[in-house]
Amino acid sequence: MIPDAVIAATLMELAHRRGPTASFCPSEAARLLSPDWRPLMAEMRRVAADLPLVATQGGVAVDVRSAKGPIRLRLAE
């Protein structure tokens, strides 16, 4: 189990690297944390929901908690 603080730090680091106008897939953070990254995806979303990040699908903001399918994350404005 990876601590929430480590997941949060990884998500925020990626977001800051991309800047306020670019997004990233949460799987990028999961891949940095574990070679077996797929089981971490639910944790990525759960932790991202409490961070200053916006989740999008097709460029439209969505609720990270209830969105189905692939999402992207970016810094909140």
Side-chain angles (χ1 to χ4, degrees):
M1 179 92 168
I2 297 173
D4 287 358
V6 173
I7 293 171
T10 304
L11 289 168
M12 293 307 295
E13 173 65 25
L14 282 172
H16 283 290
R17 274 195 226 160
R18 298 291 166 92
T21 59
S23 64
F24 65 96
C25 181
S27 68
E28 293 177 55
R31 289 168 203 232
L32 291 172
L33 296 173
S34 174
D36 187 21
W37 60 272
R38 290 183 193 274
L40 295 176
M41 292 306 294
E43 296 299 304
M44 294 289 132
R45 287 181 180 228
R46 182 183 60 76
V47 173
D50 293 326
L51 296 174
L53 298 172
V54 174
T56 61
Q57 286 181 321
V60 177
V62 296
D63 181 354
V64 70
R65 291 176 180 94
S66 61
K68 302 291 184 205
I71 63 167
R72 301 212 33 106
L73 298 171
R74 65 171 172 77
L75 287 171
E77 294 178 15

